[in-house]
Amino acid sequence: MRILVLNWRDLTHPAAGGAEVYTEQVLRRWVAAGHEVTLFAAAVAGRPAAEIVEGYRVVRAGNRFTVYREARRWWQRYGRGRFDVVVDETNTVPFLAHEWVDDGARTIALVHQTCEEIWHHNAPPLIAHLGRHLLEPGWLRRLSGAPILAVSDSTRDALGRFGARDVTVVPEGYEPPTTLPEVAKEPTPTAVFCGRMVSYKRPWDVIQAVQLARRDIPDLRLWMVGGGPMLDRLRAAAPEGVEFLGRVSEEDKHDRMARAHVHLATSVREGWGLVVTEAAALGTSTIAYDVPGLRDSTRAAGGVVSEPRPEALARRIVELLPGLTTAATAPLPYGGAHSWDDVATTLLEAVSTHARVPGRARTAMSLPPSPGATGLPHAA
């Protein structure tokens, strides 16, 4: 197949995150399987307008706001007739490719998560209100006319509230460390939080929950791992038993996660919650807020969810931590997720089955054989 993927970021973008890791892991496997793949993304300072990365072509133009317009222009100038399928990878704002792909190529969207409540944590009040109640609902209602792939049941259910009916859940992937840390659990009851110190991750909820739990477990400690704009303020207010480590290396993060007895996660919502998967692969169970994304990854990893309040999280800690300190949890293969090989294969099958020509009813169409490589022009 000749596949075009639209994503506002590629892995070299300073704001790249889990969605971009997912994209890179999948695309390089598709290329290795013989498919011809192009990724269109926003421009990145110091990177060329087009280059080959891991066997697939990356074309860059526009910024976080104009990349959607530039993708459509690039399609009109270079894309028509060159692709069999277009994947609209949505990070809050969809490209709405199903509305403008006009040459018979099939289209399908890939959605990691909806933003919803996160607007109120990441934007000024007026913009947050507009985004939460006007902009995002409008975008998602328009996207609902396309077939969609979602990386969790929570994302599928969220899309359904905006009118999407043709949604297929595809797996999340994880690549465990090559060598797992050979460390023992701490002699003192220890919890760990790993994530950016930002509002929507709710790190202060973790601190409050641990302080409440210390009434019953006086020697309970908490490691807060991660950087971010709230770090200095939280560190200055840190109560007894809480240690802030800031941003650490992957090796140090894995070491702390493996030594802790429990991992805590309190985000407003996630697409999946990869840090939960990471902890499970290192032999550490998670107690997480029962919110979209976190509930999916936590249950897949054999963890436990709680009502999203510090008091409820504290009760879960008090209930479960004694057992976790006396009986170590075995590392879970892929942390409850799937290998990237499985993800790439399953995702390609889903694209093959569900992608459809814009404006037509969904049909299961056989894919044409991959033609010889064509040298796509660089973006203007």
Side-chain angles (χ1 to χ4, degrees), residues 319-341:
E319 291 170 6
L320 299 172
L321 194 55
L324 295 172
T325 56
T326 56
T329 304
L332 183 65
Y334 301 106
H338 295 251
S339 72
W340 286 117
D341 286 345

Side-chain angles (χ1 to χ4, degrees), residues 30-312:
W30 286 357
V31 169
H35 302 284
E36 182 185 327
V37 181
T38 298
L39 171 65
F40 188 97
V44 177
R47 306 296 298 197
E51 65 176 323
I52 302 298
V53 177
E54 296 284 352
Y56 60 90
R57 179 178 292 276
V58 180
V59 177
R60 304 183 180 96
N63 56 38
R64 66 175 300 176
F65 303 107
T66 63
V67 63
Y68 308 96
R69 179 191 67 202
E70 294 300 326
R72 185 168 184 171
R73 288 178 174 176
W74 185 86
W75 171 266
Q76 292 168 346
R77 189 172 181 181
Y78 300 121
R80 284 194 180 113
R82 294 183 178 273
F83 297 97
D84 303 306
V85 66
V86 179
V87 180
D88 179 344
E89 192 167 359
T90 299
N91 291 286
T92 304
V93 185
F95 287 83
L96 300 172
H98 67 290
E99 294 184 354
W100 46 261
V101 168
D102 55 3
D103 67 341
R106 283 154 288 180
T107 67
I108 193 164
L110 171 61
V111 181
H112 294 273
Q113 72 179 95
T114 56
C115 191
E116 303 191 62
E117 302 93 337
I118 297 175
W119 282 99
H120 297 286
H121 293 264
N122 287 357
L126 179 58
I127 296 175
H129 182 80
L130 290 173
R132 173 73 173 90
H133 299 289
L134 181 63
L135 297 176
E136 186 178 26
W139 294 327
L140 292 179
R141 288 189 185 103
R142 289 172 67 184
L143 187 66
S144 68
I148 302 173
L149 307 177
V151 300
S152 69
D153 290 343
S154 289
T155 298
R156 176 201 60 203
D157 295 344
L159 291 166
R161 294 199 309 274
F162 296 98
R165 294 293 175 265
D166 186 359
V167 183
T168 303
V169 177
V170 292
E172 183 61 77
Y174 179 64
E175 188 168 341
T178 305
T179 304
L180 296 177
E182 295 183 5
V183 295
K185 295 293 185 182
E186 288 290 293
T188 302
T190 303
V192 63
F193 169 90
C194 292
R196 278 178 53 76
M197 303 298 162
V198 292
S199 175
Y200 88 90
K201 297 284 188 182
R202 296 193 280 205
W204 186 248
D205 281 31
V206 176
I207 296 170
Q208 287 181 292
V210 168
Q211 288 306 108
L212 291 170
R214 279 170 61 89
R215 297 173 182 174
D216 295 282
I217 311 173
D219 57 346
L220 175 60
R221 298 183 302 168
L222 171 63
W223 290 332
M224 299 289 286
V225 179
M230 294 176 63
L231 176 59
D232 291 342
R233 185 160 26 112
L234 289 168
R235 180 181 275 147
E240 184 180 357
V242 180
E243 179 183 359
F244 283 86
L245 299 151
R247 187 173 182 178
V248 301
S249 67
E250 284 294 293
E251 292 76 13
D252 287 343
K253 181 179 74 170
H254 292 159
D255 176 76
R256 294 280 183 162
M257 292 179 87
R259 287 160 52 195
H261 298 100
V262 66
H263 167 249
L264 306 176
T266 51
S267 299
V268 171
R269 68 166 49 234
E270 298 280 356
W272 171 259
L274 201 56
V275 68
V276 174
T277 299
E278 199 170 10
L282 295 166
T284 301
S285 294
T286 291
I287 305 175
Y289 275 178
D290 187 5
V291 298
L294 283 182
R295 68 171 65 105
D296 303 81
S297 56
T298 300
R299 288 168 178 163
V304 174
V305 295
S306 85
E307 185 182 346
R309 296 184 300 111
E311 298 81 4

